[in-house]
Amino acid sequence: MILTVTLNTALDLTYGVPELVPHASHRVSDISERPGGKGLNVARVLAALGHETVVTGFAGGATGAVLRELLADLSPRDSISAPADVTSGPEPESAPVPGSATASASVPATAPAPTRTTDASAPAPVSAPVSAPAPAPITDALVTVAGNTRRTIAVVARATGDTTQLNEPGPLVSADEWSALLARYEELLAGADAVALCGSLPPGIHVGAYAELVRSARAAGVPVLLDTGGEPLRRGIAARPDLIKPNADELAQLTGSRDPLRASRDARRRGAHAVVASLGPEGMLALTPDGVWQASPPAKVLGNPTGAGDSAVAGVLSGLVEGLSWPERLRRAVALSTATVLSPTAGDFDRAAYEELLPRVGVEDHTTAA
C-alpha cells in the first residue's frame, strides 16, 4: 500500500471555454468536478497504475462532503478499511467508503473517473488496451475538520489549451485536528510501502509540519517523498526525506540557484537523499546516490498542465515501490506528466497518450558530467 498525505485537499473544478478573454463574459462549454489536492491527484494516478493507495489529510464542510462523496464513487466497496475518524469536528452524513481510480477522462482505462461532467460534445469512451492494469482501490482515511475544504478552479481555453488557475487558501485547522491527523498518520504508516507528502499547508498548520511527518516516516522505516515549496520545503528537507520533487522555481527558491544541477546538489547537501526536479517542457532531472539522469519528452505539447507534477510524483513513487531503475522511474514520470498535460481534465492523464509516449521518452546519463 502507498500512502499519500494531502493536508490541503480541494474540490477541483475545471471550466472549459472556447477562448479566455479578459474583461469579457464567457459561455462554459464543459464542467468537471473531482476530488483534488496534490496527494489525491497522485493517488488517482497510482491507482490507475494498479497500486493500492490510502489518502489522508483534512476534509470538512459542504465542499469536503462533496469531495468524499466523489471518492466514495470510485468504489470497489470491499477494499481495505479506513480507521475510524477520531477528530472532534463534525462527521459527514455518511461514512466514506474506499474506492479506486481510473486512468483518463479522454481515454478511460475502465470505468469513468469520479467527476461530475457536462459536455454535450464529448466523444464516446474508447476502450483501453488489454495491457492496461486493473485500477486498484483508493481508501479514504481523511480526517474531518470543522472548516470548509477549499476549491480550485481551472479555466481552460480549448482553442489553445492555456489554463488559468484560481486556488482558495483552505480551512483553518485547529490544534486538536492536527493532533488527530498525526494519530491517523502513525496508524497508516504501519502498513505503508511508501508515503508521499504533497502540497501546501492550510491555515493553522505550523510551517514545520512536513518535517514532523518526514521524521515519523523515517522512524517507521517507510520511504518518504516530499513535494511542496517555500518554507515548508526548507524545513522538511532538513528532516532528511528520501526524495524531494520540486519544480524549477521551488528549487531556485530553496537554493538561490537557477541552474538545476547545481541547485539539486545544494538540495542534497541540505538533507534530501535524492532530488527529482521538474523542468517543465525540458522533462525531469534526477540527482541520486546512484547517478544523475535527465529524461525528456519526445516533443513539446500544449494542454492543461494542472496535475502534471502530481502524475510525475506517482510515476517516481510507483517505480520506487516496484524496484525500477532510476532511468525507468524517470521515463515513467515524464510519460505520465506529458500525458496529463494532454488530458482536458485537471489531475487526469490520457492513457492512450501515456502508452504511446512511454517508449519514446529519452533518458540521458549525466553521471560522469556531474
Side-chain angles (χ1 to χ4, degrees):
M1 177 269 282
I2 299 177
L3 173 63
T4 73
V5 179
T6 312
L7 298 180
N8 209 5
T9 59
L11 184 64
D12 286 343
L13 305 174
T14 302
Y15 294 159
V17 296
E19 185 180 4
L20 185 61
V21 181
H23 315 298
S25 297
H26 296 78
R27 187 175 297 279
V28 176
S29 60
D30 53 277
I31 305 167
S32 72
E33 183 180 54
R34 66 185 308 139
K38 292 179 72 64
L40 268 66
N41 290 338
V42 171
R44 186 163 44 247
V45 177
L46 287 169
L49 295 172
H51 288 274
E52 254 187 26
T53 309
V54 175
V55 296
T56 194
F58 299 113
T63 307
V66 173
L67 181 150
R68 299 181 86 159
E69 177 187 341
L70 292 172
L71 276 177
D73 286 344
L74 291 168
S75 54
R77 306 251 170 187
D78 58 350
S79 57
I80 55 179
S81 298
D85 203 329
V86 293
T87 74
S88 58
E91 294 293 330
E93 292 183 4
S94 58
V97 296
S100 63
T102 56
S104 168
S106 56
V107 187
T110 53
T115 61
R116 300 173 180 181
T117 305
T118 304
D119 184 359
S121 62
V126 179
S127 298
V130 175
S131 59
I138 296 177
T139 295
D140 174 353
L142 296 168
V143 171
T144 303
V145 294
N148 199 36
T149 295
R150 68 188 177 127
R151 297 165 299 174
T152 68
I153 300 172
V155 182
V156 182
R158 297 304 187 197
T160 62
D162 292 339
T163 301
T164 299
Q165 189 80 19
L166 304 173
N167 297 329
E168 296 179 354
L172 179 65
V173 177
S174 71
D176 287 344
E177 289 164 345
W178 171 244
S179 296
L181 185 282
L182 291 177
R184 173 70 52 83
Y185 179 67
E186 294 286 349
E187 292 174 8
L188 294 170
L189 282 175
D193 298 313
V195 58
L197 309 174
C198 303
S200 62
L201 300 178
I205 297 296
H206 65 95
V207 73
Y210 280 132
E212 191 172 352
L213 298 180
V214 168
R215 286 191 290 268
S216 294
R218 289 183 56 82
V222 179
V224 56
L225 180 152
L226 177 61
D227 182 16
T228 189
E231 192 61 22
L233 174 60
R234 191 181 306 277
R235 300 283 186 95
I237 201 173
R240 307 188 66 82
D242 296 272
L243 176 63
I244 63 169
K245 207 284 311 164
N247 60 35
D249 288 340
E250 291 164 344
L251 194 57
Q253 185 180 9
L254 174 70
T255 65
S257 175
R258 278 282 170 187
D259 179 81
L261 184 57
R262 180 180 301 172
S264 295
R265 288 199 199 100
D266 189 353
R268 286 202 66 207
R269 285 193 293 268
R270 291 167 183 260
H273 189 65
V275 179
V276 175
S278 292
L279 306 179
E282 305 304 317
M284 300 184 75
L285 175 72
L287 188 69
T288 81
D290 301 320
V292 181
W293 295 272
Q294 182 167 349
S296 304
K300 293 183 179 180
V301 298
L302 295 176
N304 181 359
T306 305
D310 305 329
S311 292
V313 169
V316 171
L317 202 60
S318 62
L320 182 155
V321 170
E322 294 172 27
L324 298 184
S325 67
W326 270 108
E328 290 308 307
R329 295 180 204 178
L330 278 188
R331 190 186 309 277
R332 177 182 289 181
V334 169
L336 284 168
S337 178
T338 306
T340 301
V341 173
L342 292 170
S343 174
T345 303
D348 247 337
F349 75 93
D350 186 313
R351 167 72 70 177
Y354 165 63
E355 293 180 352
E356 192 274 333
L357 286 163
L358 185 60
R360 299 175 55 216
V361 172
V363 183
E364 297 180 3
D365 188 336
H366 294 309
T367 302
T368 55

